[in-house]
Amino acid sequence: MTAAKNPENPAELTIHTEAEDIIIPPSDLWSDEPPLESDLHREQIELLLACLKWWWRQRNDFYATGNLTIYFSPEQITTRDFRGPDFFVVKDCENRPRKSWVLWAEQGKYPNVIIELLSNSTAKVDKGLKFELYQETFRTPEYFWFHPNTLEFQGFRLVGGKYQPLEPNAQGWLWSQQLELFLGIYESKLRFFNVDNQLVATPEERVQAAERKIEAERQQRELVQQQVEELKARLKELGVNPEELE
């Protein structure tokens, strides 16, 4: 048995045997995604990743990323017929950095959740071609889309092999069974909320919240001290020595 590169397709490895040539598709592939539509799209992806990775910081059984190619068919390497989702999560897998998501190197696992960020140039594909791809081929349990400019937001769950629209709650949020989190719009951004309706904060927001708490406590101490001093002054005006009351 000998191994050699296929001269007609250098991306494939051909194993020569007495019976037949077995072509093994490569698994160490770089992502091949176009530039993001805008800063809003980039910032939205980074926001979702930062929040989910912090929320699941005790877990090591998932992979979450954005704007990364999913190679689901060896033919796709040459045809490049589909590109990767803007944001996706795969559960029950090793949490480590990757160049791309190569299905045949990941035990055939497809994403559990996909979020596409709409734009004027991609909305038709996201709502049509990719909708069908994620429903029929990926069989991804949950698919959401969100437009950073218009704030259009919709989600679907795979039921009986077909995507069914998710019903929003009173706040307009959609529940993700896969993530066990709500997705909803907050300050014109798509955010995660926990089962207690609390916003899943970013690291920066948590630092800012801690700083605000410290500042509020400082101001409260100063207010109490000011009130004490005012009371002492009032007692002195009434001829009472505050020191004798201590």
Side-chain angles (χ1 to χ4, degrees):
M1 179 178 70
T2 61
K5 288 286 187 179
N6 186 338
E8 295 182 357
N9 190 349
E12 296 175 344
L13 177 65
T14 303
I15 306 297
H16 296 289
T17 67
E18 294 181 359
E20 60 180 348
D21 286 349
I22 301 175
I23 298 177
I24 301 177
S27 58
D28 189 27
L29 299 170
W30 287 101
S31 181
D32 185 21
E33 294 305 298
L36 293 170
E37 292 289 327
S38 69
D39 286 343
L40 280 178
H41 289 74
R42 174 181 53 79
E43 291 166 1
Q44 178 65 77
I45 292 173
E46 293 173 350
L47 179 61
L48 290 171
L49 287 173
C51 293
L52 184 65
K53 288 182 177 181
W54 181 83
W55 187 250
W56 281 357
R57 63 194 180 282
Q58 304 299 329
R59 297 178 55 169
N60 196 38
D61 62 346
F62 74 98
Y63 179 66
T65 191
N67 199 39
L68 196 82
T69 300
I70 296 177
Y71 292 102
F72 59 93
S73 167
E75 290 76 17
Q76 184 193 13
I77 301 173
T78 54
T79 61
R80 300 171 64 185
D81 52 351
F82 290 110
R83 296 187 180 274
D86 290 319
F87 174 89
F88 67 88
V89 180
V90 185
K91 297 164 58 178
D92 301 319
C93 66
E94 185 180 358
N95 189 351
R96 59 176 175 80
R98 291 168 170 84
K99 297 178 182 178
S100 62
W101 186 264
V102 182
L103 203 73
W104 52 90
E106 303 286 355
Q107 293 76 50
K109 289 182 178 294
Y110 283 100
N112 294 80
V113 177
I114 289 176
I115 301 175
E116 291 288 3
L117 302 179
L118 305 181
S119 68
N120 293 339
S121 62
T122 66
K124 184 177 180 180
V125 172
D126 292 334
K127 295 180 179 181
L129 199 60
K130 285 191 173 182
F131 183 97
E132 294 296 326
L133 174 70
Y134 301 154
Q135 174 182 263
E136 304 297 335
T137 302
F138 283 23
R139 313 294 289 171
T140 293
E142 293 174 346
Y143 175 40
F144 301 85
W145 66 56
F146 173 68
H147 200 307
N149 297 106
T150 67
L151 307 186
E152 178 184 347
F153 174 47
Q154 194 164 357
F156 305 86
R157 181 172 296 126
L158 200 64
V159 179
K162 298 296 181 182
Y163 277 139
Q164 301 299 324
L166 292 172
E167 292 296 327
N169 65 5
Q171 292 91 343
W173 305 342
L174 302 178
W175 176 250
S176 168
Q177 291 181 347
Q178 295 293 315
L179 302 179
E180 297 184 314
L181 291 168
F182 286 104
L183 286 93
I185 299 173
Y186 174 77
E187 294 184 347
S188 300
K189 299 288 186 182
L190 186 62
R191 301 294 300 266
F192 296 117
F193 301 84
N194 64 22
V195 293
D196 298 320
N197 297 333
Q198 299 298 311
L199 179 72
V200 177
T202 66
E204 293 78 10
E205 287 170 338
R206 291 192 299 277
V207 170
Q208 293 169 2
E211 291 176 344
R212 287 195 297 268
K213 181 179 179 181
I214 292 172
E215 178 61 18
E217 291 173 348
R218 184 190 65 79
Q219 292 179 1
Q220 181 63 27
R221 288 194 300 270
E222 290 182 352
L223 178 60
V224 171
Q225 184 61 36
Q226 180 182 349
Q227 291 173 340
V228 169
E229 295 301 326
E230 291 176 351
L231 178 58
K232 287 181 178 181
R234 180 59 178 161
L235 289 172
K236 288 179 179 180
E237 291 177 359
L238 296 174
V240 178
N241 184 357
E243 304 299 331
E244 295 178 352
L245 300 176
E246 295 181 356

PDB file of all heavy atoms in Angstrom, residues 229-243:
ATOM      1  N   GLU A 229     -23.147  64.027  61.260  1.00  0.00           N
ATOM      2  CA  GLU A 229     -22.548  65.327  61.574  1.00  0.00           C
ATOM      3  C   GLU A 229     -23.630  66.392  61.732  1.00  0.00           C
ATOM      4  O   GLU A 229     -23.545  67.262  62.617  1.00  0.00           O
ATOM      5  CB  GLU A 229     -21.565  65.721  60.470  1.00  0.00           C
ATOM      6  CG  GLU A 229     -20.351  64.807  60.344  1.00  0.00           C
ATOM      7  CD  GLU A 229     -19.542  64.764  61.625  1.00  0.00           C
ATOM      8  OE1 GLU A 229     -19.469  65.796  62.341  1.00  0.00           O
ATOM      9  OE2 GLU A 229     -18.982  63.687  61.936  1.00  0.00           O
ATOM     10  N   GLU A 230     -24.652  66.359  60.889  1.00  0.00           N
ATOM     11  CA  GLU A 230     -25.738  67.322  60.988  1.00  0.00           C
ATOM     12  C   GLU A 230     -26.495  67.143  62.300  1.00  0.00           C
ATOM     13  O   GLU A 230     -26.922  68.123  62.944  1.00  0.00           O
ATOM     14  CB  GLU A 230     -26.682  67.165  59.795  1.00  0.00           C
ATOM     15  CG  GLU A 230     -26.065  67.607  58.469  1.00  0.00           C
ATOM     16  CD  GLU A 230     -26.988  67.338  57.299  1.00  0.00           C
ATOM     17  OE1 GLU A 230     -28.025  66.667  57.500  1.00  0.00           O
ATOM     18  OE2 GLU A 230     -26.670  67.784  56.179  1.00  0.00           O
ATOM     19  N   LEU A 231     -26.680  65.883  62.720  1.00  0.00           N
ATOM     20  CA  LEU A 231     -27.371  65.617  63.977  1.00  0.00           C
ATOM     21  C   LEU A 231     -26.558  66.117  65.165  1.00  0.00           C
ATOM     22  O   LEU A 231     -27.116  66.719  66.105  1.00  0.00           O
ATOM     23  CB  LEU A 231     -27.635  64.117  64.118  1.00  0.00           C
ATOM     24  CG  LEU A 231     -28.327  63.666  65.410  1.00  0.00           C
ATOM     25  CD1 LEU A 231     -29.678  64.369  65.570  1.00  0.00           C
ATOM     26  CD2 LEU A 231     -28.507  62.154  65.412  1.00  0.00           C
ATOM     27  N   LYS A 232     -25.253  65.922  65.135  1.00  0.00           N
ATOM     28  CA  LYS A 232     -24.395  66.417  66.207  1.00  0.00           C
ATOM     29  C   LYS A 232     -24.467  67.944  66.298  1.00  0.00           C
ATOM     30  O   LYS A 232     -24.532  68.515  67.400  1.00  0.00           O
ATOM     31  CB  LYS A 232     -22.953  65.978  65.963  1.00  0.00           C
ATOM     32  CG  LYS A 232     -22.694  64.510  66.221  1.00  0.00           C
ATOM     33  CD  LYS A 232     -21.226  64.172  65.985  1.00  0.00           C
ATOM     34  CE  LYS A 232     -20.940  62.701  66.290  1.00  0.00           C
ATOM     35  NZ  LYS A 232     -19.498  62.377  66.074  1.00  0.00           N
ATOM     36  N   ALA A 233     -24.434  68.598  65.126  1.00  0.00           N
ATOM     37  CA  ALA A 233     -24.522  70.060  65.116  1.00  0.00           C
ATOM     38  C   ALA A 233     -25.842  70.531  65.688  1.00  0.00           C
ATOM     39  O   ALA A 233     -25.910  71.516  66.443  1.00  0.00           O
ATOM     40  CB  ALA A 233     -24.333  70.569  63.689  1.00  0.00           C
ATOM     41  N   ARG A 234     -26.911  69.837  65.379  1.00  0.00           N
ATOM     42  CA  ARG A 234     -28.237  70.209  65.889  1.00  0.00           C
ATOM     43  C   ARG A 234     -28.300  70.031  67.409  1.00  0.00           C
ATOM     44  O   ARG A 234     -28.864  70.872  68.136  1.00  0.00           O
ATOM     45  CB  ARG A 234     -29.301  69.350  65.210  1.00  0.00           C
ATOM     46  CG  ARG A 234     -30.717  69.649  65.661  1.00  0.00           C
ATOM     47  CD  ARG A 234     -31.097  71.075  65.398  1.00  0.00           C
ATOM     48  NE  ARG A 234     -32.477  71.351  65.795  1.00  0.00           N
ATOM     49  CZ  ARG A 234     -32.962  72.553  66.023  1.00  0.00           C
ATOM     50  NH1 ARG A 234     -32.170  73.631  65.953  1.00  0.00           N
ATOM     51  NH2 ARG A 234     -34.215  72.706  66.346  1.00  0.00           N
ATOM     52  N   LEU A 235     -27.698  68.950  67.902  1.00  0.00           N
ATOM     53  CA  LEU A 235     -27.688  68.708  69.340  1.00  0.00           C
ATOM     54  C   LEU A 235     -26.920  69.798  70.070  1.00  0.00           C
ATOM     55  O   LEU A 235     -27.316  70.245  71.158  1.00  0.00           O
ATOM     56  CB  LEU A 235     -27.085  67.328  69.635  1.00  0.00           C
ATOM     57  CG  LEU A 235     -27.943  66.123  69.247  1.00  0.00           C
ATOM     58  CD1 LEU A 235     -27.162  64.836  69.415  1.00  0.00           C
ATOM     59  CD2 LEU A 235     -29.233  66.088  70.075  1.00  0.00           C
ATOM     60  N   LYS A 236     -25.807  70.210  69.492  1.00  0.00           N
ATOM     61  CA  LYS A 236     -25.015  71.280  70.100  1.00  0.00           C
ATOM     62  C   LYS A 236     -25.817  72.575  70.172  1.00  0.00           C
ATOM     63  O   LYS A 236     -25.731  73.329  71.150  1.00  0.00           O
ATOM     64  CB  LYS A 236     -23.733  71.492  69.321  1.00  0.00           C
ATOM     65  CG  LYS A 236     -22.715  70.373  69.495  1.00  0.00           C
ATOM     66  CD  LYS A 236     -21.459  70.624  68.689  1.00  0.00           C
ATOM     67  CE  LYS A 236     -20.440  69.507  68.880  1.00  0.00           C
ATOM     68  NZ  LYS A 236     -19.210  69.742  68.083  1.00  0.00           N
ATOM     69  N   GLU A 237     -26.605  72.841  69.119  1.00  0.00           N
ATOM     70  CA  GLU A 237     -27.448  74.037  69.127  1.00  0.00           C
ATOM     71  C   GLU A 237     -28.467  73.981  70.259  1.00  0.00           C
ATOM     72  O   GLU A 237     -28.896  75.004  70.798  1.00  0.00           O
ATOM     73  CB  GLU A 237     -28.166  74.160  67.784  1.00  0.00           C
ATOM     74  CG  GLU A 237     -27.252  74.492  66.630  1.00  0.00           C
ATOM     75  CD  GLU A 237     -27.992  74.523  65.308  1.00  0.00           C
ATOM     76  OE1 GLU A 237     -29.220  74.265  65.311  1.00  0.00           O
ATOM     77  OE2 GLU A 237     -27.362  74.813  64.267  1.00  0.00           O
ATOM     78  N   LEU A 238     -28.860  72.765  70.632  1.00  0.00           N
ATOM     79  CA  LEU A 238     -29.847  72.584  71.708  1.00  0.00           C
ATOM     80  C   LEU A 238     -29.176  72.467  73.073  1.00  0.00           C
ATOM     81  O   LEU A 238     -29.844  72.204  74.079  1.00  0.00           O
ATOM     82  CB  LEU A 238     -30.674  71.322  71.428  1.00  0.00           C
ATOM     83  CG  LEU A 238     -31.548  71.337  70.159  1.00  0.00           C
ATOM     84  CD1 LEU A 238     -32.184  69.990  69.927  1.00  0.00           C
ATOM     85  CD2 LEU A 238     -32.574  72.446  70.248  1.00  0.00           C
ATOM     86  N   GLY A 239     -27.860  72.645  73.099  1.00  0.00           N
ATOM     87  CA  GLY A 239     -27.132  72.598  74.364  1.00  0.00           C
ATOM     88  C   GLY A 239     -26.802  71.207  74.827  1.00  0.00           C
ATOM     89  O   GLY A 239     -26.523  70.988  76.011  1.00  0.00           O
ATOM     90  N   VAL A 240     -26.861  70.251  73.941  1.00  0.00           N
ATOM     91  CA  VAL A 240     -26.537  68.867  74.299  1.00  0.00           C
ATOM     92  C   VAL A 240     -25.184  68.503  73.719  1.00  0.00           C
ATOM     93  O   VAL A 240     -24.919  68.763  72.540  1.00  0.00           O
ATOM     94  CB  VAL A 240     -27.599  67.887  73.768  1.00  0.00           C
ATOM     95  CG1 VAL A 240     -27.238  66.435  74.105  1.00  0.00           C
ATOM     96  CG2 VAL A 240     -28.981  68.237  74.291  1.00  0.00           C
ATOM     97  N   ASN A 241     -24.331  67.925  74.540  1.00  0.00           N
ATOM     98  CA  ASN A 241     -23.011  67.491  74.086  1.00  0.00           C
ATOM     99  C   ASN A 241     -23.126  66.103  73.478  1.00  0.00           C
ATOM    100  O   ASN A 241     -23.406  65.121  74.201  1.00  0.00           O
ATOM    101  CB  ASN A 241     -22.016  67.475  75.244  1.00  0.00           C
ATOM    102  CG  ASN A 241     -20.606  67.128  74.761  1.00  0.00           C
ATOM    103  OD1 ASN A 241     -20.393  66.859  73.586  1.00  0.00           O
ATOM    104  ND2 ASN A 241     -19.669  67.164  75.688  1.00  0.00           N
ATOM    105  N   PRO A 242     -22.949  65.980  72.182  1.00  0.00           N
ATOM    106  CA  PRO A 242     -23.089  64.669  71.535  1.00  0.00           C
ATOM    107  C   PRO A 242     -22.135  63.634  72.095  1.00  0.00           C
ATOM    108  O   PRO A 242     -22.467  62.440  72.136  1.00  0.00           O
ATOM    109  CB  PRO A 242     -22.761  64.979  70.060  1.00  0.00           C
ATOM    110  CG  PRO A 242     -22.991  66.430  69.911  1.00  0.00           C
ATOM    111  CD  PRO A 242     -22.636  67.041  71.212  1.00  0.00           C
ATOM    112  N   GLU A 243     -20.971  64.077  72.585  1.00  0.00           N
ATOM    113  CA  GLU A 243     -19.984  63.125  73.094  1.00  0.00           C
ATOM    114  C   GLU A 243     -20.505  62.426  74.338  1.00  0.00           C
ATOM    115  O   GLU A 243     -20.168  61.269  74.612  1.00  0.00           O
ATOM    116  CB  GLU A 243     -18.679  63.865  73.433  1.00  0.00           C
ATOM    117  CG  GLU A 243     -18.081  64.653  72.278  1.00  0.00           C
ATOM    118  CD  GLU A 243     -17.730  63.768  71.099  1.00  0.00           C
ATOM    119  OE1 GLU A 243     -17.427  62.570  71.323  1.00  0.00           O
ATOM    120  OE2 GLU A 243     -17.746  64.240  69.950  1.00  0.00           O
TER     121      GLU A 243
END
